[in-house]
Amino acid sequence: MPTDPPLLLTPGPVTTTGRVRAALTRGDLCHREPEFATLLAALRADLVSAFGIADTHEAVLLTGSGTAAMESALTSLVRPGRAALVVNNGVYGQRLVTIARSYGIPAHEVRSGWTVPADPTEVAAALRRHPDVDLVCCVQHETTTGLLNPVAAIGAAVAGDDACYLVDAISALGAEPPPPAEVGADVFCGTANKALHGQPGVSFLLLSAAARRRVAEVPARGLYLAVATHLDQQRAGTVPFTPAVPACYALAEALAEFAEEGGFPARSATYRQRAGDLRAGLAPLGLAPLVAPAHRAASVTAFPVPAGIRYPDLHDELKRRGFVVYAGQGPLAGGVFRVAVMGALPAGAIGEFTATAADVLAALRAAAR
Ligand SMILES: *Cc1c(COP(=O)(O)O)cnc(C)c1O
């Protein structure tokens, strides 16, 4: 190291293996040919079996980033005249609210501070207060701060209600506990290019039987993202619109690697190990994570930018030395930076990073004096 291009310590896209990148150049394939039907069927089967929910959930593959998955699920699961209830404690919870309201779907909110996990009893109380709720939504891992919400306890609070339960697991699937089989969600939103180590361009939904019934019942609010259309066509071995074929090839390789490495337990343990190394390496520099240990994800850690240092200088100097870190979002822009340990990182990468960060901070502090 440094590597060229610099190593991505960003929460998507992530560093991928040569095998996954090579899939992008496999060759041209028309999605109306039987070879694509074979690829689609394999992806749909592998997505649910990768998470141990093949008996209960069915996958729908979408072309578009993770937000396309959020928008398609939310707008396809709320019946006319009904509402969503959204746990909002970060940028992605807020995005779910914004999606709902932009379609004229009422969105009740259960809010907490950006470093405070949602309280399941508050979600239960909000459900009782709002009998019009058709869909409860929660982000599993708020990538804004690296905060884990108690998605299984919220699932238990929703169970027994007529409402479906949507979990934005986009930055959780594959690595952050609990695994989907323990969450009790009707819909998981996921994407290829985060903890699954695929390429950007495709995202997906994993739908329970109740969610599949509900999407069949809800009149489509649009054309491109209507889940019922995608589900019906994918069951028949095809897709309604042109998919990102190269990204599909790459996702198939990424899922194969995920399984070969030992699936969720192995990847989760790798991320925990890396996160421990990261935090231990940065602690002597005076950098302490924003989120308390009990609620911290492994994938992403947010740190306050040290006093007297400008985030752009920190980012640019780290990048020049081979590492790309991520800015804070919204009110945290400028004051916080994030380091992700996702992706196919070479052995020793986190140790190299923390040593480099020590040098960079010393240089920036000296220059600021
Ligand atoms: C990355 C992310 C998304 C989707 O972002 P895109 O840029 O559309 O892929 C949604 N939710 C969470 C929690 C995320 O981390």
Side-chain angles (χ1 to χ4, degrees), residues 20-325:
V20 167
R21 287 195 303 276
L24 293 173
T25 57
R26 186 165 298 167
D28 302 321
L29 169 67
C30 177
H31 60 288
R32 300 296 175 210
E33 294 302 313
E35 291 84 353
F36 185 77
T38 304
L39 175 63
L40 177 66
L43 281 173
R44 294 182 71 230
D46 290 351
L47 279 169
V48 281
S49 64
F51 305 116
I53 53 171
D55 293 343
T56 50
H57 288 65
E58 189 172 341
V60 170
L61 197 70
L62 297 166
T63 283
S65 77
T67 306
M70 296 161 79
E71 187 158 332
S72 72
L74 200 158
T75 59
S76 299
L77 280 152
V78 181
R79 289 170 292 188
R82 308 276 299 169
L85 174 66
V86 181
V87 167
N88 182 353
N89 54 3
V91 165
Y92 296 98
Q94 181 57 47
R95 185 171 297 180
L96 288 161
V97 172
T98 303
I99 290 168
R101 291 183 183 157
S102 71
Y103 282 80
I105 298 171
H108 310 296
E109 296 176 67
V110 174
R111 283 174 167 266
S112 57
W114 278 15
T115 56
V116 181
D119 179 348
T121 62
E122 279 186 37
V123 176
L127 254 182
R128 283 193 301 273
R129 218 167 36 243
H130 301 293
D132 61 344
V133 170
D134 245 6
L135 183 67
V136 177
C137 307
C138 183
V139 177
Q140 182 168 353
H141 166 212
E142 256 299 354
T143 321
T144 318
T145 52
L147 175 75
L148 289 177
N149 275 314
V151 282
I154 292 171
V158 179
D161 194 277
D162 184 42
C164 281
Y165 179 36
L166 177 157
V167 171
D168 169 354
I170 290 173
S171 63
L173 279 178
E176 292 297 340
E182 295 167 25
V183 173
D186 293 298
V187 191
F188 295 93
C189 302
T191 200
N193 62 278
K194 295 201 182 188
L196 293 180
H197 303 183
Q199 290 286 339
V202 288
S203 55
F204 55 87
L205 302 175
L206 309 175
L207 303 167
S208 72
R212 300 192 300 263
R213 281 194 301 275
R214 182 58 56 79
V215 299
E217 214 185 310
V218 174
R221 289 187 164 86
L223 176 71
Y224 195 70
L225 294 173
V227 175
T229 310
H230 290 273
L231 179 61
D232 288 349
Q233 295 220 11
Q234 291 184 22
R235 281 176 166 169
T238 187
V239 285
F241 313 108
T242 310
V245 177
C248 292
Y249 277 142
L251 177 57
E253 294 304 326
L255 287 169
E257 287 184 345
F258 179 68
E260 287 160 19
E261 284 169 22
F264 178 89
R267 188 150 298 172
S268 188
T270 301
Y271 281 20
R272 291 260 149 220
Q273 172 74 49
R274 290 175 181 170
D277 292 349
L278 174 72
R279 292 159 192 170
L282 295 186
L285 311 179
L287 294 173
L290 211 60
V291 172
H295 316 306
R296 250 178 231 163
S299 313
V300 172
T301 309
F303 298 95
V305 176
I309 289 175
R310 291 176 60 250
Y311 170 73
D313 297 338
L314 179 63
H315 168 272
D316 293 356
E317 196 53 28
L318 286 168
K319 184 174 180 185
R320 204 176 62 78
R321 303 208 197 183
F323 299 96
V324 180
V325 297

